[in-house]
């Protein structure tokens, strides 16, 4: 009887682990809504409770354990490995990250604004490709995320290239020239709250932070999606836009980046 019960418990535990580790993640790979609910709600809350830590803290631990201090590429690789093998996280990801890299290299910007730092993954990718004396300002609303991002950026050895600012984008965008001496941005990477893409873009226009030729690069324009922003940059005569088809970070769900050139 006890042996049967033991076998049943062991079998049940194995089944639950298989469901958690392989079956459900595979099943949601192609469905954006289900993937986000599973990874960004159910799994995150469960692991937070079990480990008494947060996802950003666990991601930082993976960086400190597996990445070489002062090596940005190893930091990126450690985060990608953590997100693909251990726990999904809402970074731009490896696939779209290559598109981000190519745009940064093409533009070779002297001034960059990143809206939405999260844990610093895309910040590290961008900062590692900037020319000497370039300025990267990254805004993060959540102070807990900002605290982790600072440590990730420092581990990559890029703290001297990055100015991380805590607060709401709507509050800080009008202060850019006064606080940081920036007249215009060569490149803006939008990866924060999706309902802020359009109002923040219009705010940057109003504040004169975009010059002719400034590039806006927006993530997650399909999943979760930014329909109002896409309609605006694709229909406005002030922009020339191009869509780069890809996938939602670490899944097979369609997503992409929208690159929009400000025409003045």
């Amino acid at each position: 009887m006890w042996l049967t019960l033991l076998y049943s418990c062991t079998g049940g535990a194995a089944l639950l682990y298989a469901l958690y580790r392989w079956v459900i993640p595979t099943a949601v790979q192609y469905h954006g809504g289900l993937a986000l609910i599973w990874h960004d709600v159910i799994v995150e809350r469960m692991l937070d409770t079990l480990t008494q830590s947060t996802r950003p803290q666990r991601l930082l631990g993976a960086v400190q354990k597996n990445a070489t201090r002062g090596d940005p590429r190893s930091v990126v690789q450690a985060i990608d490995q953590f997100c693909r093998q251990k726990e999904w996280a809402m970074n731009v990801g490896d696939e779209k990250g290559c598109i981000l890299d190519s745009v940064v290299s093409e533009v070779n910007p002297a001034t960059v604004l990143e809206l939405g730092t999260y844990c610093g993954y895309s910040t590290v990718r961008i900062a590692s490709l900037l020319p000497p004396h370039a300025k990267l300002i990254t805004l993060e609303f959540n102070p807990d995320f900002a605290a982790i991002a600072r440590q990730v950026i420092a581990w990559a050895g890029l703290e001297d290239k990055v100015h991380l600012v805590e607060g709401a984008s709507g509050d800080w965008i009008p202060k850019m020239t006064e606080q940081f001496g920036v007249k215009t941005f060569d490149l803006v990477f939008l990866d924060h709250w999706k309902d802020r893409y359009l109002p923040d873009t219009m705010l940057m226009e109003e504040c004169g932070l975009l010059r002719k030729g400034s590039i806006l690069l927006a993530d997650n324009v399909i999943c979760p999606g930014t329909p109002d922003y896409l309609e605006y940059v694709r229909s406005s005569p002030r922009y020339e836009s191009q869509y780069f088809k890809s996938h939602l970070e670490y899944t097979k769900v369609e997503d992409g980046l929208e690159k929009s050139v400000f025409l003045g």
Side-chain angles (χ1 to χ4, degrees):
M1 175 182 175
W2 290 109
L3 191 58
T4 302
L5 182 60
L6 178 61
Y7 283 147
S8 298
C9 291
T10 303
L15 177 60
L16 288 174
Y17 181 76
L19 286 169
Y20 160 75
R21 192 69 181 85
W22 296 296
V23 178
I24 296 178
T26 300
V28 304
Q29 275 283 301
Y30 295 90
H31 192 289
L34 292 179
L36 290 173
I37 291 172
W38 171 251
H39 291 296
D40 213 24
V41 179
I42 297 173
V43 172
E44 182 171 11
R45 291 180 181 176
M46 178 182 68
L47 291 177
D48 286 357
T49 300
L50 290 174
T51 65
Q52 291 297 293
S53 64
T54 66
R55 174 171 287 169
Q57 288 171 340
R58 295 188 290 275
L59 184 149
L60 174 62
V63 168
Q64 294 172 335
K65 179 181 179 181
N66 300 308
T68 303
R69 189 186 289 270
D71 183 350
R73 286 293 120 181
S74 77
V75 169
V76 168
Q77 290 168 4
I79 295 175
D80 284 332
Q81 184 180 38
F82 171 80
C83 293
R84 284 204 175 275
Q85 299 179 7
K86 299 290 185 181
E87 187 177 350
W88 184 92
M90 57 179 180
N91 311 302
V92 67
D94 46 5
E95 187 178 351
K96 288 183 293 181
C98 291
I99 301 172
L100 172 62
D101 291 352
S102 67
V103 172
V104 174
S105 297
E106 173 195 347
V107 176
N108 195 34
T111 53
V112 182
L113 175 63
E114 178 184 40
L115 300 177
T117 316
Y118 187 43
C119 295
Y121 174 89
S122 52
T123 313
V124 169
R125 293 194 82 122
I126 295 169
S128 67
L129 296 171
L130 293 181
H133 311 299
K135 181 179 294 186
L136 168 56
I137 300 170
T138 181
L139 300 184
E140 177 52 54
F141 179 76
N142 187 312
D144 295 329
F145 293 168
I148 296 296
R150 282 194 177 90
Q151 295 178 75
V152 170
I153 293 165
W155 198 272
L158 295 169
E159 62 268 39
D160 291 339
K161 281 192 171 185
V162 179
H163 194 127
L164 196 161
V165 181
E166 293 180 35
S169 54
D171 294 336
W172 275 104
I173 286 173
K175 302 176 183 177
M176 285 291 151
T177 300
E178 176 188 349
Q179 294 290 326
F180 306 108
V182 176
K183 293 183 178 180
T184 59
F185 287 102
D186 299 326
L187 174 66
V188 179
F189 182 51
L190 299 93
D191 196 17
H192 56 329
W193 294 106
K194 310 313 164 192
D195 60 0
R196 291 298 311 174
Y197 281 26
L198 180 55
D200 283 345
T201 295
M202 298 178 76
L203 184 58
M204 286 186 286
E205 292 174 2
E206 292 171 14
C207 294
L209 292 172
L210 302 180
R211 59 163 177 80
K212 184 177 181 179
S214 290
I215 304 292
L216 304 182
L217 187 65
D219 188 22
N220 300 128
V221 295
I222 302 300
C223 184
T226 56
D228 57 343
Y229 173 81
L230 283 184
E231 181 181 1
Y232 179 73
V233 295
R234 289 176 178 179
S235 62
S236 172
R238 305 187 76 182
Y239 291 94
E240 182 178 281
S241 282
Q242 179 182 4
Y243 174 62
F244 291 86
K245 184 177 180 180
S246 187
H247 296 96
L248 178 68
E249 42 268 31
Y250 315 112
T251 74
K252 298 299 183 182
V253 177
E254 182 183 343
D255 191 21
L257 296 165
E258 187 82 2
K259 175 188 174 186
S260 305
V261 182
F262 185 67
L263 303 178

